[in-house]
Structures are given as C-alpha cells and as structure tokens.
Amino acid sequence: MAATGSPSEEDLLCPQCKGIYWIPVVLNCDHNICKLCLQKFWELEGCRECPVCRAVAGTGRPPVNLQLKIASDKYRTQMMTGNLEVCCIHSEKLQFFCHSDDEPICLVCQTSSKHKVHKFGPLEEAARQKKKEISDMLEPFKKKLRMLNKTKGQWEETRSYIQTQTDQCERAIKEEFEKLHLFLLEEENTRLTVLKQEEEVKKQVMSEKLENLKDQIKTLSATISDIETALRRRDVPFLQDYKQTKKSVKCVIREPECIRDILINSAQHLGLLGYRVWRKMADTVKHVPITLDPNTAQSNLRCSEELTCVQYSKKQLLPDNPERCTNRVCALGATGFTWGKHSWTVDVGQGKDWYIGVAQESINRKSAVFLNPTEGFWVIGLLNGDSYWAETSPRTRLVLKHKPERITIKVDYDRGKVVFINATDLTTIHTFHDRFTEKIFPYFSPGLYDEEKISSPLTICPLSIRVVLE
C-alpha cells in the first residue's frame, strides 16, 4: 500500500480471502494478510509460511499493520455510510450481481475486463437466491444450538450427580469404618481423601467442559444473531456483506464430546472395601470374586453398599452416562475379563424373572437388542417363574429336575466356554461354546417376587475364607 494518498480498493483487499482487510497483520516479507486468514492458513498447512510468497515467518505473533487497519476501517465505514446502492468505483446504480465474485455491480462493471467473462444475474433475483441459501445454511446452526443446550442440561445433571455419588460413597465408607477398631482411623481418612480428590478432579473437569460449552453456545448464538440481522437487511447491503456472512456460516462447530468415565469410580472406593482392610488387620471378612458397577445399572436397579447385591426398586434420577444400560433392566460387573478362568455364584432368590451370565463390553446399552451370542450375550434365565431358557439363537428350553437357588457361573475365556452349574447338586444346567474377541463382564438382570410383587434381589455369594498360620 502506498505510504501517502488515499488507497484504492485493490490496496485494501486481503490476498487470501479477497475481501477488505479485517485486522491486517504484516509478515517479515512485508506482505499483509487478515489475522484470521493467516491463522486458518497456518493450521491448514501445518507450517508458518506467508500465503503469498511462502517465505518462512518468525516464531512470534505478526504485528498488526495499524496504518492499513485504519485505512480499511475508514473505507468500510465510508461504504456503510455512503449511498449503498451506487457503485463506489463508477458512481452508477448497482443493477446486477456477479455470481463469479459474489458481489453487486453496475452496468460499467459488467463491461469491464474484471467481470467480462463472469456470470451475471438480476440484483433482485440474486438477493432472493442468496437469502434462501443463507437461510438454509442457518437452520443447521439452530438445530446445533438446540442440541448444545440439551447437552448442557445433561452435563449439569451429571455434575450434580457426581456430588450425590460422592455423598453416597462417603456415607458407605464411614459406616464400614465405624465397624472397625479405632486404629483404622488413619486408613479411613486416607480413603476419604482419595474420594475427595477424585470428586474435585472430576467436578473440575465437568466445570471446565461446561464453561467451554457455554462459550461455544454464546459464540454460536452471537453468530446466529449476526446472520439473522444480515438477512433482515435490504438486498444491496445484504449482498455487499454476503462474503463475510457466508464465511460466518461456514465456521466449524465441534460436536460435544462423549464424556466417558466421568462419574465417581464407586467400584474403586467401595468394591471389596472390607476385604482390603481385612488384609491389614489379619482378620476374617466376607469376600466375593466380583462386584457390581453401579454406573452401568439401569435406573430402576439399586445396588447394595458393598456392591454385591442388586434388586429392582423405584426409578431413580440418574445421568444417562455412556456406560449405563437403559435398554434392559440390568447391571454389569465392575471387572471384565480378557483371559483366564473365572467363576462366581449367584443367589437367584425367589424371583419369577431373572437373567444371569456374561456380556461383552460393546453391547448396545441404549436400545433394545436380543439376548443371544450374536448380540454379545451368553446368559440363561427364568421366565414367568416356571420355565428356564438358554438365550441361544433360537433360544433353548432347559429341563431341570430341581429349581436352583444358587447358580455358579464358570468362564473359560481362552476356550470360549461359559458353564452354568446348579450349586446345590453340582449338575450342569447349560454350556455355551463360542469365541470371545473382546472384554466380557458379568451380567445381572433381577425380576419381581412372584406372590407379593416385591423385589427379589440377585446376590453374589461370598467365598469361604480360611486363615492358616504357619
């Protein structure tokens, strides 16, 4: 740009976006470019080069060309305050719209060399077309805003539920430690500290993500407001700002991320708590081979404090986190298996409907699926209190001599076997043969007691523990 005199329109055009400069910065090679255009170019190319001559830029921030910025702002102000329906170059009435350059032009512009081979159209027709184009592009923004606001509400509920989970875990931990001797006070305080640290970290994570989401919503709302304001302008002002408006609607809006493992890890704090403390006390406690993961439990299920029992209850207000099962009234174990042999025994109680077994990690947890190996389930169940079924495809009716009260599940991951055994007489109920390709988890789905219509729990039976001193 010349150092003296009034700059021409060409002097004020960014070489990257071809529009009037917005916050021009000057590079070491003396080329000027819009700050936003330069940032986008560097992100796209992955290097700090001049878009015009490809010269390597410095490591610092390029300074703003104040002289050029003042001239650009002044020119833009003159354009906005002047006669907007007259060509600023030829002082002729704007009658056409150049579809090649996306700008209104006059009759003289149409015959000039700059627009000689370009495609033209009537100004009024172009305004209708472009307004419809921008309106169509605006609708996804509104849809995305609704989705972001919905996600914001869900995340706020999740943040509140983290506090609820923290209170529940704290209460359970204190009750467990009250049963122990006074010298365990230090252990109790240590575990509460870990819980508080996890609470603070996860609440901080949710707070930061919510703040980012609020900023994104604020920015998107402002963009939508600016676009709607542009759509209400007269045709010529609208078309004159059409490039900038179109640039605004092309901005990328990130999808809200799927926040996994953000809830309090109740299994870590409560699972086998008494057993782990017992190892320090050399005393006898109950021990079960697996525990439940309450973060996977459907909202009608309630887990015991030690996470060894699950039963049907009134519906709870729980966040729909990715791990939670909502398609069936079920819960998964806290520990999964990718190798080796594992076994546990379940007291099925007096329920008239229940399912137990294993399920793979990738099961569909949010919509209805069939309980068979094709969908990732290897389970058996009781239906209507009188018929036992193995959920094969098609399912298999099981004929049992005695109604089992406790069922042992044995898993041999490497051989692809899941065996169900009546724990009373040690007879085999059913065996699945398959090939496991991913982590599998214990599966529990309790039903209602047949006569009084009350909950009948599924309970993981404790193992017998013997202490031998030598």
mmCIF file of all heavy atoms in Angstrom, residues 292-334:
data_model
loop_
_atom_site.group_PDB
_atom_site.id
_atom_site.type_symbol
_atom_site.label_atom_id
_atom_site.label_comp_id
_atom_site.label_asym_id
_atom_site.label_seq_id
_atom_site.Cartn_x
_atom_site.Cartn_y
_atom_site.Cartn_z
ATOM 1 N N LEU A 292 -20.379 -55.367 41.629
ATOM 2 C CA LEU A 292 -21.212 -54.692 40.634
ATOM 3 C C LEU A 292 -20.672 -53.297 40.322
ATOM 4 O O LEU A 292 -20.010 -52.680 41.150
ATOM 5 C CB LEU A 292 -22.650 -54.577 41.141
ATOM 6 C CG LEU A 292 -23.366 -55.904 41.423
ATOM 7 C CD1 LEU A 292 -24.592 -55.661 42.296
ATOM 8 C CD2 LEU A 292 -23.765 -56.582 40.118
ATOM 9 N N ASP A 293 -20.971 -52.824 39.139
ATOM 10 C CA ASP A 293 -20.628 -51.453 38.761
ATOM 11 C C ASP A 293 -21.912 -50.637 38.703
ATOM 12 O O ASP A 293 -22.691 -50.757 37.753
ATOM 13 C CB ASP A 293 -19.943 -51.435 37.393
ATOM 14 C CG ASP A 293 -19.494 -50.045 36.981
ATOM 15 O OD1 ASP A 293 -19.778 -49.090 37.728
ATOM 16 O OD2 ASP A 293 -18.861 -49.911 35.915
ATOM 17 N N PRO A 294 -22.212 -49.796 39.718
ATOM 18 C CA PRO A 294 -23.476 -49.044 39.731
ATOM 19 C C PRO A 294 -23.592 -48.042 38.591
ATOM 20 O O PRO A 294 -24.706 -47.628 38.264
ATOM 21 C CB PRO A 294 -23.449 -48.340 41.093
ATOM 22 C CG PRO A 294 -22.002 -48.260 41.455
ATOM 23 C CD PRO A 294 -21.371 -49.501 40.880
ATOM 24 N N ASN A 295 -22.494 -47.658 37.998
ATOM 25 C CA ASN A 295 -22.557 -46.720 36.870
ATOM 26 C C ASN A 295 -23.111 -47.365 35.608
ATOM 27 O O ASN A 295 -23.373 -46.685 34.618
ATOM 28 C CB ASN A 295 -21.172 -46.143 36.580
ATOM 29 C CG ASN A 295 -20.685 -45.235 37.691
ATOM 30 O OD1 ASN A 295 -21.463 -44.739 38.478
ATOM 31 N ND2 ASN A 295 -19.386 -45.027 37.755
ATOM 32 N N THR A 296 -23.273 -48.709 35.613
ATOM 33 C CA THR A 296 -23.881 -49.409 34.468
ATOM 34 C C THR A 296 -25.327 -49.777 34.740
ATOM 35 O O THR A 296 -26.027 -50.222 33.830
ATOM 36 C CB THR A 296 -23.105 -50.690 34.140
ATOM 37 O OG1 THR A 296 -23.267 -51.648 35.213
ATOM 38 C CG2 THR A 296 -21.626 -50.414 33.933
ATOM 39 N N ALA A 297 -25.802 -49.624 35.985
ATOM 40 C CA ALA A 297 -27.129 -50.112 36.371
ATOM 41 C C ALA A 297 -28.247 -49.260 35.788
ATOM 42 O O ALA A 297 -28.184 -48.024 35.803
ATOM 43 C CB ALA A 297 -27.248 -50.151 37.891
ATOM 44 N N GLN A 298 -29.279 -49.922 35.267
ATOM 45 C CA GLN A 298 -30.471 -49.233 34.786
ATOM 46 C C GLN A 298 -31.126 -48.496 35.957
ATOM 47 O O GLN A 298 -30.980 -48.877 37.110
ATOM 48 C CB GLN A 298 -31.426 -50.267 34.151
ATOM 49 C CG GLN A 298 -32.558 -49.653 33.349
ATOM 50 C CD GLN A 298 -33.824 -49.534 34.152
ATOM 51 O OE1 GLN A 298 -33.889 -49.985 35.305
ATOM 52 N NE2 GLN A 298 -34.840 -48.909 33.588
ATOM 53 N N SER A 299 -31.858 -47.438 35.657
ATOM 54 C CA SER A 299 -32.324 -46.524 36.713
ATOM 55 C C SER A 299 -33.316 -47.147 37.687
ATOM 56 O O SER A 299 -33.575 -46.573 38.741
ATOM 57 C CB SER A 299 -32.952 -45.278 36.072
ATOM 58 O OG SER A 299 -34.011 -45.635 35.208
ATOM 59 N N ASN A 300 -33.891 -48.304 37.374
ATOM 60 C CA ASN A 300 -34.787 -48.977 38.312
ATOM 61 C C ASN A 300 -34.059 -49.953 39.229
ATOM 62 O O ASN A 300 -34.691 -50.607 40.058
ATOM 63 C CB ASN A 300 -35.877 -49.738 37.557
ATOM 64 C CG ASN A 300 -36.971 -48.817 37.049
ATOM 65 O OD1 ASN A 300 -37.005 -48.485 35.873
ATOM 66 N ND2 ASN A 300 -37.851 -48.381 37.933
ATOM 67 N N LEU A 301 -32.756 -50.069 39.095
ATOM 68 C CA LEU A 301 -31.996 -51.008 39.906
ATOM 69 C C LEU A 301 -31.245 -50.277 41.011
ATOM 70 O O LEU A 301 -30.741 -49.170 40.810
ATOM 71 C CB LEU A 301 -31.010 -51.784 39.035
ATOM 72 C CG LEU A 301 -31.617 -52.720 37.983
ATOM 73 C CD1 LEU A 301 -30.520 -53.474 37.262
ATOM 74 C CD2 LEU A 301 -32.603 -53.690 38.621
ATOM 75 N N ARG A 302 -31.155 -50.924 42.154
ATOM 76 C CA ARG A 302 -30.425 -50.366 43.284
ATOM 77 C C ARG A 302 -29.404 -51.400 43.757
ATOM 78 O O ARG A 302 -29.752 -52.570 43.973
ATOM 79 C CB ARG A 302 -31.366 -50.001 44.423
ATOM 80 C CG ARG A 302 -30.687 -49.258 45.566
ATOM 81 C CD ARG A 302 -31.702 -48.882 46.627
ATOM 82 N NE ARG A 302 -32.708 -47.970 46.104
ATOM 83 C CZ ARG A 302 -32.562 -46.655 46.016
ATOM 84 N NH1 ARG A 302 -31.423 -46.098 46.410
ATOM 85 N NH2 ARG A 302 -33.533 -45.903 45.542
ATOM 86 N N CYS A 303 -28.160 -50.977 43.920
ATOM 87 C CA CYS A 303 -27.086 -51.857 44.364
ATOM 88 C C CYS A 303 -26.864 -51.672 45.867
ATOM 89 O O CYS A 303 -27.050 -50.578 46.405
ATOM 90 C CB CYS A 303 -25.790 -51.562 43.612
ATOM 91 S SG CYS A 303 -25.892 -51.821 41.823
ATOM 92 N N SER A 304 -26.455 -52.741 46.534
ATOM 93 C CA SER A 304 -26.121 -52.644 47.949
ATOM 94 C C SER A 304 -24.841 -51.836 48.121
ATOM 95 O O SER A 304 -24.097 -51.601 47.156
ATOM 96 C CB SER A 304 -25.942 -54.044 48.536
ATOM 97 O OG SER A 304 -24.851 -54.707 47.913
ATOM 98 N N GLU A 305 -24.565 -51.417 49.364
ATOM 99 C CA GLU A 305 -23.417 -50.550 49.605
ATOM 100 C C GLU A 305 -22.102 -51.231 49.242
ATOM 101 O O GLU A 305 -21.169 -50.586 48.760
ATOM 102 C CB GLU A 305 -23.404 -50.099 51.066
ATOM 103 C CG GLU A 305 -24.470 -49.059 51.385
ATOM 104 C CD GLU A 305 -24.312 -48.479 52.765
ATOM 105 O OE1 GLU A 305 -23.505 -49.026 53.547
ATOM 106 O OE2 GLU A 305 -24.981 -47.471 53.063
ATOM 107 N N GLU A 306 -22.011 -52.538 49.492
ATOM 108 C CA GLU A 306 -20.771 -53.249 49.164
ATOM 109 C C GLU A 306 -20.756 -53.739 47.725
ATOM 110 O O GLU A 306 -19.847 -54.449 47.310
ATOM 111 C CB GLU A 306 -20.561 -54.421 50.130
ATOM 112 C CG GLU A 306 -20.192 -53.971 51.531
ATOM 113 C CD GLU A 306 -19.656 -55.113 52.368
ATOM 114 O OE1 GLU A 306 -19.781 -56.279 51.944
ATOM 115 O OE2 GLU A 306 -19.091 -54.832 53.434
ATOM 116 N N LEU A 307 -21.814 -53.395 46.955
ATOM 117 C CA LEU A 307 -21.887 -53.704 45.524
ATOM 118 C C LEU A 307 -21.858 -55.196 45.256
ATOM 119 O O LEU A 307 -21.258 -55.656 44.283
ATOM 120 C CB LEU A 307 -20.738 -53.003 44.776
ATOM 121 C CG LEU A 307 -20.619 -51.496 45.003
ATOM 122 C CD1 LEU A 307 -19.432 -50.926 44.258
ATOM 123 C CD2 LEU A 307 -21.896 -50.776 44.607
ATOM 124 N N THR A 308 -22.540 -55.983 46.124
ATOM 125 C CA THR A 308 -22.619 -57.429 45.937
ATOM 126 C C THR A 308 -24.052 -57.887 45.694
ATOM 127 O O THR A 308 -24.284 -59.081 45.481
ATOM 128 C CB THR A 308 -22.077 -58.164 47.176
ATOM 129 O OG1 THR A 308 -22.851 -57.779 48.325
ATOM 130 C CG2 THR A 308 -20.615 -57.828 47.409
ATOM 131 N N CYS A 309 -25.013 -56.968 45.719
ATOM 132 C CA CYS A 309 -26.418 -57.329 45.565
ATOM 133 C C CYS A 309 -27.127 -56.264 44.742
ATOM 134 O O CYS A 309 -26.876 -55.069 44.906
ATOM 135 C CB CYS A 309 -27.080 -57.462 46.949
ATOM 136 S SG CYS A 309 -28.844 -57.841 46.893
ATOM 137 N N VAL A 310 -28.009 -56.707 43.830
ATOM 138 C CA VAL A 310 -28.768 -55.770 43.002
ATOM 139 C C VAL A 310 -30.223 -56.211 42.993
ATOM 140 O O VAL A 310 -30.527 -57.405 42.911
ATOM 141 C CB VAL A 310 -28.200 -55.708 41.567
ATOM 142 C CG1 VAL A 310 -28.248 -57.063 40.875
ATOM 143 C CG2 VAL A 310 -28.938 -54.668 40.744
ATOM 144 N N GLN A 311 -31.140 -55.237 43.106
ATOM 145 C CA GLN A 311 -32.552 -55.569 43.088
ATOM 146 C C GLN A 311 -33.353 -54.452 42.446
ATOM 147 O O GLN A 311 -32.920 -53.305 42.354
ATOM 148 C CB GLN A 311 -33.057 -55.842 44.496
ATOM 149 C CG GLN A 311 -32.973 -54.665 45.446
ATOM 150 C CD GLN A 311 -33.372 -55.029 46.856
ATOM 151 O OE1 GLN A 311 -32.643 -54.793 47.800
ATOM 152 N NE2 GLN A 311 -34.535 -55.627 47.009
ATOM 153 N N TYR A 312 -34.560 -54.842 42.007
ATOM 154 C CA TYR A 312 -35.465 -53.898 41.367
ATOM 155 C C TYR A 312 -35.999 -52.936 42.420
ATOM 156 O O TYR A 312 -36.335 -53.327 43.532
ATOM 157 C CB TYR A 312 -36.609 -54.654 40.694
ATOM 158 C CG TYR A 312 -37.460 -53.804 39.775
ATOM 159 C CD1 TYR A 312 -37.130 -53.668 38.437
ATOM 160 C CD2 TYR A 312 -38.579 -53.141 40.251
ATOM 161 C CE1 TYR A 312 -37.904 -52.895 37.587
ATOM 162 C CE2 TYR A 312 -39.361 -52.370 39.412
ATOM 163 C CZ TYR A 312 -39.019 -52.249 38.085
ATOM 164 O OH TYR A 312 -39.785 -51.470 37.250
ATOM 165 N N SER A 313 -36.113 -51.639 42.067
ATOM 166 C CA SER A 313 -36.578 -50.625 43.002
ATOM 167 C C SER A 313 -37.302 -49.536 42.219
ATOM 168 O O SER A 313 -37.459 -49.631 41.000
ATOM 169 C CB SER A 313 -35.385 -50.048 43.776
ATOM 170 O OG SER A 313 -35.811 -49.048 44.679
ATOM 171 N N LYS A 314 -37.749 -48.505 42.927
ATOM 172 C CA LYS A 314 -38.387 -47.396 42.229
ATOM 173 C C LYS A 314 -37.345 -46.657 41.394
ATOM 174 O O LYS A 314 -36.159 -46.649 41.693
ATOM 175 C CB LYS A 314 -39.050 -46.445 43.219
ATOM 176 C CG LYS A 314 -38.098 -45.758 44.181
ATOM 177 C CD LYS A 314 -38.856 -44.837 45.117
ATOM 178 C CE LYS A 314 -37.899 -44.119 46.073
ATOM 179 N NZ LYS A 314 -38.617 -43.210 46.988
ATOM 180 N N LYS A 315 -37.820 -46.022 40.358
ATOM 181 C CA LYS A 315 -36.921 -45.372 39.410
ATOM 182 C C LYS A 315 -36.168 -44.221 40.065
ATOM 183 O O LYS A 315 -36.734 -43.417 40.796
ATOM 184 C CB LYS A 315 -37.701 -44.861 38.207
ATOM 185 C CG LYS A 315 -36.821 -44.403 37.056
ATOM 186 C CD LYS A 315 -37.630 -44.143 35.803
ATOM 187 C CE LYS A 315 -36.722 -43.798 34.626
ATOM 188 N NZ LYS A 315 -37.481 -43.584 33.378
ATOM 189 N N GLN A 316 -34.864 -44.162 39.791
ATOM 190 C CA GLN A 316 -34.019 -43.107 40.318
ATOM 191 C C GLN A 316 -33.649 -42.125 39.199
ATOM 192 O O GLN A 316 -33.620 -42.485 38.023
ATOM 193 C CB GLN A 316 -32.727 -43.702 40.893
ATOM 194 C CG GLN A 316 -32.960 -44.811 41.909
ATOM 195 C CD GLN A 316 -31.667 -45.539 42.220
ATOM 196 O OE1 GLN A 316 -30.835 -45.066 42.979
ATOM 197 N NE2 GLN A 316 -31.489 -46.702 41.618
ATOM 198 N N LEU A 317 -33.372 -40.893 39.587
ATOM 199 C CA LEU A 317 -32.924 -39.897 38.616
ATOM 200 C C LEU A 317 -31.410 -40.029 38.471
ATOM 201 O O LEU A 317 -30.646 -39.549 39.306
ATOM 202 C CB LEU A 317 -33.308 -38.490 39.082
ATOM 203 C CG LEU A 317 -34.813 -38.193 39.136
ATOM 204 C CD1 LEU A 317 -35.059 -36.788 39.671
ATOM 205 C CD2 LEU A 317 -35.435 -38.348 37.746
ATOM 206 N N LEU A 318 -30.983 -40.701 37.399
ATOM 207 C CA LEU A 318 -29.566 -40.961 37.164
ATOM 208 C C LEU A 318 -29.145 -40.373 35.827
ATOM 209 O O LEU A 318 -29.942 -40.343 34.883
ATOM 210 C CB LEU A 318 -29.297 -42.475 37.167
ATOM 211 C CG LEU A 318 -29.695 -43.242 38.434
ATOM 212 C CD1 LEU A 318 -29.453 -44.731 38.227
ATOM 213 C CD2 LEU A 318 -28.917 -42.739 39.631
ATOM 214 N N PRO A 319 -27.917 -39.912 35.717
ATOM 215 C CA PRO A 319 -27.452 -39.399 34.420
ATOM 216 C C PRO A 319 -27.331 -40.525 33.399
ATOM 217 O O PRO A 319 -26.993 -41.658 33.745
ATOM 218 C CB PRO A 319 -26.075 -38.800 34.751
ATOM 219 C CG PRO A 319 -25.642 -39.513 35.992
ATOM 220 C CD PRO A 319 -26.896 -39.807 36.769
ATOM 221 N N ASP A 320 -27.637 -40.211 32.158
ATOM 222 C CA ASP A 320 -27.535 -41.208 31.085
ATOM 223 C C ASP A 320 -26.101 -41.219 30.554
ATOM 224 O O ASP A 320 -25.838 -40.891 29.403
ATOM 225 C CB ASP A 320 -28.530 -40.892 29.975
ATOM 226 C CG ASP A 320 -28.596 -41.981 28.919
ATOM 227 O OD1 ASP A 320 -28.116 -43.097 29.198
ATOM 228 O OD2 ASP A 320 -29.109 -41.717 27.820
ATOM 229 N N ASN A 321 -25.173 -41.640 31.418
ATOM 230 C CA ASN A 321 -23.770 -41.709 31.012
ATOM 231 C C ASN A 321 -23.572 -42.857 30.023
ATOM 232 O O ASN A 321 -24.389 -43.773 29.947
ATOM 233 C CB ASN A 321 -22.872 -41.906 32.245
ATOM 234 C CG ASN A 321 -23.365 -43.032 33.132
ATOM 235 O OD1 ASN A 321 -24.455 -42.949 33.676
ATOM 236 N ND2 ASN A 321 -22.568 -44.081 33.292
ATOM 237 N N PRO A 322 -22.506 -42.826 29.207
ATOM 238 C CA PRO A 322 -22.318 -43.854 28.164
ATOM 239 C C PRO A 322 -22.277 -45.271 28.696
ATOM 240 O O PRO A 322 -22.670 -46.207 28.000
ATOM 241 C CB PRO A 322 -20.975 -43.456 27.533
ATOM 242 C CG PRO A 322 -20.826 -42.008 27.806
ATOM 243 C CD PRO A 322 -21.471 -41.777 29.140
ATOM 244 N N GLU A 323 -21.806 -45.477 29.941
ATOM 245 C CA GLU A 323 -21.682 -46.840 30.464
ATOM 246 C C GLU A 323 -23.018 -47.418 30.923
ATOM 247 O O GLU A 323 -23.152 -48.637 31.043
ATOM 248 C CB GLU A 323 -20.716 -46.857 31.667
ATOM 249 C CG GLU A 323 -19.323 -46.355 31.360
ATOM 250 C CD GLU A 323 -19.187 -44.845 31.515
ATOM 251 O OE1 GLU A 323 -20.206 -44.185 31.833
ATOM 252 O OE2 GLU A 323 -18.081 -44.331 31.334
ATOM 253 N N ARG A 324 -24.021 -46.577 31.170
ATOM 254 C CA ARG A 324 -25.265 -47.049 31.792
ATOM 255 C C ARG A 324 -26.139 -47.811 30.797
ATOM 256 O O ARG A 324 -26.311 -47.397 29.646
ATOM 257 C CB ARG A 324 -26.052 -45.883 32.376
ATOM 258 C CG ARG A 324 -27.188 -46.351 33.302
ATOM 259 C CD ARG A 324 -27.813 -45.177 34.024
ATOM 260 N NE ARG A 324 -26.832 -44.383 34.743
ATOM 261 C CZ ARG A 324 -26.295 -44.722 35.894
ATOM 262 N NH1 ARG A 324 -26.606 -45.871 36.457
ATOM 263 N NH2 ARG A 324 -25.417 -43.918 36.478
ATOM 264 N N CYS A 325 -26.714 -48.936 31.254
ATOM 265 C CA CYS A 325 -27.648 -49.717 30.430
ATOM 266 C C CYS A 325 -29.052 -49.125 30.582
ATOM 267 O O CYS A 325 -29.543 -48.978 31.703
ATOM 268 C CB CYS A 325 -27.656 -51.178 30.866
ATOM 269 S SG CYS A 325 -26.064 -52.021 30.686
ATOM 270 N N THR A 326 -29.666 -48.778 29.475
ATOM 271 C CA THR A 326 -31.025 -48.247 29.514
ATOM 272 C C THR A 326 -32.000 -49.101 28.714
ATOM 273 O O THR A 326 -33.213 -48.944 28.856
ATOM 274 C CB THR A 326 -31.053 -46.810 28.962
ATOM 275 O OG1 THR A 326 -30.524 -46.815 27.624
ATOM 276 C CG2 THR A 326 -30.221 -45.876 29.813
ATOM 277 N N ASN A 327 -31.494 -50.005 27.885
ATOM 278 C CA ASN A 327 -32.388 -50.805 27.058
ATOM 279 C C ASN A 327 -33.010 -51.962 27.825
ATOM 280 O O ASN A 327 -34.096 -52.425 27.495
ATOM 281 C CB ASN A 327 -31.642 -51.341 25.833
ATOM 282 C CG ASN A 327 -30.508 -52.283 26.217
ATOM 283 O OD1 ASN A 327 -29.796 -52.029 27.179
ATOM 284 N ND2 ASN A 327 -30.346 -53.370 25.475
ATOM 285 N N ARG A 328 -32.341 -52.450 28.882
ATOM 286 C CA ARG A 328 -32.861 -53.544 29.694
ATOM 287 C C ARG A 328 -32.614 -53.244 31.170
ATOM 288 O O ARG A 328 -31.706 -52.491 31.505
ATOM 289 C CB ARG A 328 -32.196 -54.871 29.317
ATOM 290 C CG ARG A 328 -32.600 -55.387 27.940
ATOM 291 C CD ARG A 328 -31.997 -56.753 27.649
ATOM 292 N NE ARG A 328 -32.425 -57.240 26.360
ATOM 293 C CZ ARG A 328 -33.553 -57.914 26.145
ATOM 294 N NH1 ARG A 328 -34.344 -58.177 27.173
ATOM 295 N NH2 ARG A 328 -33.883 -58.330 24.935
ATOM 296 N N VAL A 329 -33.418 -53.865 32.033
ATOM 297 C CA VAL A 329 -33.245 -53.685 33.481
ATOM 298 C C VAL A 329 -32.105 -54.609 33.911
ATOM 299 O O VAL A 329 -32.320 -55.756 34.296
ATOM 300 C CB VAL A 329 -34.542 -54.011 34.241
ATOM 301 C CG1 VAL A 329 -34.362 -53.756 35.736
ATOM 302 C CG2 VAL A 329 -35.697 -53.188 33.698
ATOM 303 N N CYS A 330 -30.883 -54.115 33.828
ATOM 304 C CA CYS A 330 -29.710 -54.949 34.092
ATOM 305 C C CYS A 330 -28.564 -54.094 34.600
ATOM 306 O O CYS A 330 -28.604 -52.863 34.551
ATOM 307 C CB CYS A 330 -29.293 -55.706 32.830
ATOM 308 S SG CYS A 330 -28.717 -54.639 31.498
ATOM 309 N N ALA A 331 -27.540 -54.773 35.092
ATOM 310 C CA ALA A 331 -26.298 -54.136 35.534
ATOM 311 C C ALA A 331 -25.152 -55.074 35.201
ATOM 312 O O ALA A 331 -25.334 -56.294 35.090
ATOM 313 C CB ALA A 331 -26.335 -53.832 37.030
ATOM 314 N N LEU A 332 -23.954 -54.505 35.060
ATOM 315 C CA LEU A 332 -22.771 -55.299 34.748
ATOM 316 C C LEU A 332 -21.828 -55.327 35.948
ATOM 317 O O LEU A 332 -21.915 -54.494 36.846
ATOM 318 C CB LEU A 332 -22.042 -54.725 33.529
ATOM 319 C CG LEU A 332 -22.839 -54.636 32.227
ATOM 320 C CD1 LEU A 332 -21.960 -54.071 31.117
ATOM 321 C CD2 LEU A 332 -23.416 -55.974 31.829
ATOM 322 N N GLY A 333 -20.919 -56.281 35.929
ATOM 323 C CA GLY A 333 -19.897 -56.343 36.955
ATOM 324 C C GLY A 333 -18.875 -55.248 36.769
ATOM 325 O O GLY A 333 -18.718 -54.681 35.681
ATOM 326 N N ALA A 334 -18.148 -54.946 37.837
ATOM 327 C CA ALA A 334 -17.154 -53.876 37.777
ATOM 328 C C ALA A 334 -15.876 -54.328 37.087
ATOM 329 O O ALA A 334 -15.123 -53.505 36.576
ATOM 330 C CB ALA A 334 -16.833 -53.387 39.185
#
